[in-house]
Amino acid sequence: MSVKILNHPLIDHHMNKLRSKDTNNFDFRISAKIVSNLMGYEIFKSLSTENVQINTPLEKFKGREVKKPFPCLVSILRAGSIIVDGLLEVFPNCSVGHIGIYRDHKTLLPKDYLTKLPNNIHKKKVFLCDPMLATGGSAIRAIEVLNENNCYDISLICLLACDEGINLTLKKYPKTNIFAAQKDPVLNKKGYILPGLGDAGDRIYGTE
Ligand code: PRP
Ligand code: URA
């Protein structure tokens, strides 16, 4: 188990744009994708590589490349797709799965409505993408779904996480690696992260 808060000047710079209520949907999407690019650059450092020989136009070159099978990125719909888009920009070879989950606004409990995963996902490292780790309910339900599909090498990538969500996720699934751009202290009564950035899905897709 591990929790890593990325702590990077460029990530922090763009997280401020996400947090600001004055950032419009268009600029929110741009900054969210940039943060995801930067997170991918850091997180994918841990991917296994193998030595390969490349023929340049002049001579042979001994290099390394990411070892197959390439990872699978799984988006918790809706908002997770912005992270997937950002990660695909830095590593387009990944496959992509989708798990549709929304939080019931009254109970805050997760409801899943769609699962579409690559057939061979159980052979791959899975990066589960969800911008907000709040109560942890959505992430935990998604990990349950992945376990039902025989996936156990799971890293969760979030833009913002709070202690409640981190602790609950690790209590239920201690082997999960959690990466977050930043961590905030608390949740309000409606389950929103404070100071936070508001409703990620609404801010990405302009549905507020
Ligand atoms: C948001 C967010 C996470 C979830 C986090 O999704 O994108 O998936 O809430 O909260 P939790 O940790 O308390 O479960 P939401 O339910 O708003 O759905 P959406 O992405 O379709 O907007
Ligand atoms: N989901 C969001 O989009 N924002 C929060 O602060 C908590 C859950």
Side-chain angles (χ1 to χ4, degrees), residues 76-79 101-103 130-138 199 201:
I76 302 185
L77 300 175
R78 292 175 297 169
I101 298 179
Y102 69 91
R103 287 199 314 181
D130 188 357
M132 311 301 279
L133 182 59
T135 64
S138 304
D199 187 305

Side-chain angles (χ1 to χ4, degrees), residues 63-141:
R64 64 167 183 160
E65 61 189 32
V66 177
K67 203 170 175 180
K68 288 182 178 159
F70 296 138
C72 181
L73 311 178
V74 175
S75 167
I76 302 185
L77 300 175
R78 292 175 297 169
S81 293
I82 200 80
I83 301 181
V84 167
D85 291 349
L87 295 177
L88 284 175
E89 283 180 355
V90 295
F91 194 30
N93 311 60
C94 298
S95 52
V96 179
H98 296 89
I99 300 177
I101 298 179
Y102 69 91
R103 287 199 314 181
D104 180 285
H105 279 297
K106 286 206 180 103
T107 62
L108 298 185
L109 293 174
K111 306 264 182 206
D112 44 318
Y113 57 89
L114 174 112
T115 301
K116 191 75 189 161
L117 302 171
N119 289 337
N120 58 356
I121 188 170
H122 58 284
K123 297 182 181 158
K124 298 178 171 216
K125 218 173 170 47
V126 173
F127 291 95
L128 179 61
C129 302
D130 188 357
M132 311 301 279
L133 182 59
T135 64
S138 304
I140 287 170
R141 177 62 197 136

Side-chain angles (χ1 to χ4, degrees), residues 185-203:
V186 282
L187 290 180
N188 70 10
K189 285 198 181 101
K190 290 185 172 171
Y192 280 87
I193 297 177
L194 295 180
L197 53 76
D199 187 305
D202 283 347
R203 297 203 62 191

Side-chain angles (χ1 to χ4, degrees), residues 5-74:
I5 310 300
L6 272 98
N7 191 20
H8 185 296
L10 293 178
I11 290 178
D12 292 346
H13 181 92
H14 287 284
M15 285 298 292
N16 284 350
K17 303 251 188 255
L18 298 185
R19 288 178 183 278
S20 169
K21 68 179 177 46
D22 298 325
T23 301
N24 64 28
N25 308 127
F26 175 79
D27 290 323
F28 190 96
R29 283 197 290 268
I30 290 179
S31 286
K33 252 211 245 183
I34 293 173
V35 172
S36 308
N37 294 159
L38 294 164
M39 290 185 79
Y41 187 74
E42 286 295 308
I43 294 166
F44 291 156
K45 264 185 190 167
S46 67
L47 293 180
S48 305
T49 57
E50 62 187 351
N51 296 332
V52 288
Q53 184 171 287
I54 307 291
N55 297 318
T56 80
L58 299 174
E59 55 179 39
K60 294 185 193 314
F61 170 76
K62 282 187 181 157
R64 64 167 183 160
E65 61 189 32
V66 177
K67 203 170 175 180
K68 288 182 178 159
F70 296 138
C72 181
L73 311 178
V74 175

Side-chain angles (χ1 to χ4, degrees), residues 158-176:
C158 320
L159 300 181
L160 259 189
C162 72
D163 284 321
E164 188 169 325
I166 292 173
N167 293 338
L168 203 67
T169 306
L170 291 179
K171 190 169 170 207
K172 192 92 205 281
Y173 293 108
K175 289 189 182 151
T176 311

